Amino acid sequence: MSYEDPEGPEPVEPNYRRRRLIALGVLLLLALLLIWGIVSVFRAIGGNDEEANSAASASPSASAEPFSDFTERASDEASESSSADPSETASESAEPSESADATESADPAATETSDPAASETAAPSETAEPTAEPTETPATVAACSAADMQVSLTADKGSYAAGENPAMAITYTNTSGNPCDIGGEGQTIDINITSGSAQVFNYAQCNNAAVETSELAAGATDTKVITWDRSLNALGCNTNRNVDPGYYWATATVNGVTSEPARIIVTG
């Protein structure tokens, strides 16, 4: 009676697979060993080539031409030129200087024939007239007027007896900050005397000559004295009649500016 395994015989398929895997592993290992061997061989060959090249570059080439490092000897022509007479070389070197001398000694007429208009422009004009300096025009002095002048009249005495002629001083002052003129054409220094409303005497009436122009400086004062001969010239310049005793009022006028009246008493 045979014994029968209850599990049955081992299946064949799993054993076959196991063997195949083992065989593939062995083949893969052999392939890796082969590749490693080939790489090692190529590395060895490459190292030998590099050493050979280094040795070749370190030692001179056996095939190089002998004496290739030496410089060739100078040619005969070069030797002849180097042994040439130094005086000839010096003369040849001197030739350019002769050319320079010829250039410097060129005809000066070529320079003189340059544009004359440019030369005339560059040279200063001898006929230029000097510029006249501007002259200062003196400021015109205006005639003194009431705006810049004060006039006053004073008599030398308070009263006059028979035979005494009043002497009256006319004083005029320039009160402005600028000079002004006294007198001139049409300008007079005058004294007018009245008795009440009646005209008695006028100095300019019989002395109508214009007063000579004189400049009165700013702030300056001047005085003119006129004597009244007590004539009654209101009746005419040639009258011989004198005024009677009484009270009279006199005013002075300068450049049309009239003073305050001053009293004159005639007693005889």
Side-chain angles (χ1 to χ4, degrees), residues 112-131:
E112 295 177 359
T113 56
S114 58
D115 189 3
S119 300
E120 293 177 2
T121 303
S125 176
E126 296 179 357
T127 59
E129 297 180 358
T131 304

